[in-house]
Every structure is written in structure tokens, then in C-alpha cells.
Amino acid sequence: MTAIITATELAHDLAGANPPVLLDVRWQLSMAKAAGAPAFDGRAEYAAGHIPGAVFVDLDQELTSAPGKQGRHPLPDLAEFGAVMRRAGVSAARPVVVYDGGQCWAAARAWWMLRWTGHPDVRVLDGGLPSWEGELSTEVPSPAAGDFVPEPDAAGFLDADGAAALARSGLLLDARAGERYRGEVEPIDRIGGHIPGAVSAPTTENVGPDGRFLPAAELRDRFKALGALEAPEVGVYCGSGISGAHEVLALAVAGVPAALYVGSWSEWSADPSRPVAVGPDPQ
């Protein structure tokens, strides 16, 4: 099993004896609302056309909880998350494929949530919906209830203290843009900079010009250069635990297990007692 799947492979699997559960998690980070423009509406995009059989999952309402001291996209209540997944037809013995509008950030968050809570077979559609060459549907499916029960793995999750410790004992990657890591700009959070000891590794460098993941060998070379292959443990954070999940996914494609600091910079920077580093030097 790999962490990603191509559209051709997905079409083949959907026609097979044990087709995957399909989850549509279209979402995008947008500043449009602040500017007075309508915010992106993933549910409306889903209603206008989706891969046949896909069930819509709302990232803001079902894969995260309300923003607060733990960041902009903290973990959802796991009992409620399990109920959402079961309503979508997710079962432990059936594979799951997740897709979004193409960036794969939201799909990666769903992938990480399912993998972290124990689902054994989850993949992300590389390239998202734009890569799908088959027909689209406006029919909303009513899948039979699944049996998936979340059982979190402590090894895949980091809190603020864990991230701080890992930056010293292992490798903590910052998946945000380099200028945010360096503290040159900060469009969202209270202050710019990075967690002391963290290494800059923008998640945008995990994909090619077409937005799809680089080949596994190229990703492995990238993460090797960052020290991931030698580090005893690897963790990732971003702004609020979304693009960081994409980097954890890229690491998985490269064969490197990694944990996610879900609160990320939105939690860290909101606490004035937490140290902040600026500039290109990790320290």
C-alpha cells in the first residue's frame, strides 16, 4: 500500500470487488472573507459535481474543532469524528480514498486523521479532482454505515511541548513558506518566526509544476538533505495543521514516518511564553 493513488488506479479500484470509500474534502485557505468576498464553499462545489459515490466531508466542521487556544484547526472530538466517518461508510476492512480540489492539503488532513486513529488503508488522490478523467455526479449517495472506531496512536501526534522537545532531540520541519519561517511576513498569526530548532521545509517543494507529488525517490532525496533519514524521530508543523499534514503525507510517500503538531504556529505563537526564532537559522 502507498499513501497516494493516481486517477487511473482509482478508476480501476472503483470497478473492483472491494471498491474504496470515497471522501470529498474540498476546502481552501482563503482571505476572501476578510476582503468582503464570499468564502470558498466546498459543499457547493461538491453539489455541482463530484466523483460518483463520493461523500462530502467538511474540514472546518468535521475534521477540526472550533478555533481557540489550541490553534485555528485543532483536533475534532474523536467520538464525533468517528460518527462522521461511519456515516460516510468508513469501515476498518474497506480501503478509503480521499480527494480535494487538487492542492491535496485538505485531503492530507483527512488522510492523517484516519491513519492516526488507526485506519489501515487510506490513500490520497494525487492531483485531486482535476486529475479525474471520468464523469462527475451530482447525486448524493447514502452509504451503508461503516464500523470504523478511532483509536489514536500517540506516536503520530505532537503537542506544543512535544514539538519543542523534538526540535532538540530529532528533526522538526516547518512546512510554511520560507518568508513566514524567517519572520519576514506573517499574514495570519500574532507574530512571525519559527519554533527554535525547527528546519524550514516548505510543503510547496514536495510537488512538481503540475501540483502532483514528486516521485518517491526525489522526495526521499529532499528529506535526506534535510536530515530526515538520520533523525531518530521526525515531526512537522505549519500554520494550523493543514499544510503540515501534506508534508507528513509527502514523507510517507518517501518512506519516512512523521508526527504532526496539529496546533502548529497558530497555537505556538498565541502563547507569549513560547520562544520564537527569526531568520534562516533554525536556532
Side-chain angles (χ1 to χ4, degrees):
M1 189 194 77
T2 61
I4 57 176
I5 185 172
T6 67
T8 300
E9 291 168 336
L10 175 59
H12 176 270
D13 288 0
L14 288 172
N18 187 33
V21 172
L22 272 178
L23 304 180
D24 182 314
V25 196
R26 272 178 277 181
W27 171 91
Q28 65 185 40
L29 178 63
S30 174
M31 304 300 288
K33 188 175 182 180
F40 177 83
D41 189 340
R43 194 176 294 275
E45 295 288 325
Y46 168 83
H50 50 266
I51 298 177
V55 175
F56 182 73
V57 176
D58 189 316
L59 183 144
D60 287 320
Q61 301 298 320
E62 297 172 325
L63 298 180
T64 69
S65 57
K69 292 182 179 179
Q70 292 181 309
R72 286 192 305 278
H73 292 104
L75 288 175
D77 178 89
L78 291 185
E80 294 179 6
F81 168 70
V84 167
M85 292 297 101
R86 290 189 293 275
R87 285 197 299 271
V90 175
S91 292
R94 188 176 174 190
V96 177
V97 172
V98 190
Y99 71 88
D100 58 22
Q103 190 179 40
C104 289
W105 288 11
R109 174 63 178 243
W111 167 86
W112 179 82
M113 284 291 304
L114 281 165
R115 293 290 294 142
W116 173 62
T117 56
H119 198 288
D121 190 350
V122 190
R123 288 171 289 175
V124 168
L125 176 59
D126 194 15
L129 186 62
S131 71
W132 179 253
E133 297 180 352
E135 295 182 355
L136 298 180
S137 172
T138 58
E139 180 180 350
V140 178
S142 299
D147 62 15
F148 179 69
V149 177
E151 295 181 2
D153 178 4
F157 171 82
L158 291 171
D159 60 12
D161 289 340
L166 184 58
R168 303 298 181 188
S169 65
L171 177 66
L172 182 65
L173 298 176
D174 184 320
R176 298 172 301 156
E179 58 268 25
R180 291 185 70 191
Y181 170 88
R182 295 187 295 271
E184 297 165 359
V185 300
E186 182 44 64
I188 306 174
D189 294 310
R190 183 185 67 86
I191 189 172
H194 59 270
I195 297 173
V199 174
S200 180
T203 199
T204 52
E205 297 179 16
N206 296 323
V207 299
D210 60 358
R212 302 189 189 190
F213 284 97
L214 297 173
E218 292 184 27
L219 287 172
R220 192 167 178 84
D221 286 343
R222 183 195 183 212
F223 292 123
K224 179 179 180 180
L226 291 167
L229 302 192
E230 295 78 22
E233 293 181 85
V234 178
V236 180
Y237 75 96
C238 57
S240 64
I242 306 300
S243 66
H246 184 279
E247 185 123 299
V248 173
L249 176 59
L251 283 155
V253 172
V256 180
L260 178 65
Y261 172 25
V262 175
S264 286
W265 191 248
S266 61
E267 178 187 37
W268 184 278
S269 64
D271 183 350
S273 71
R274 296 283 178 187
V276 171
V278 296
D281 190 326
Q283 306 306 323

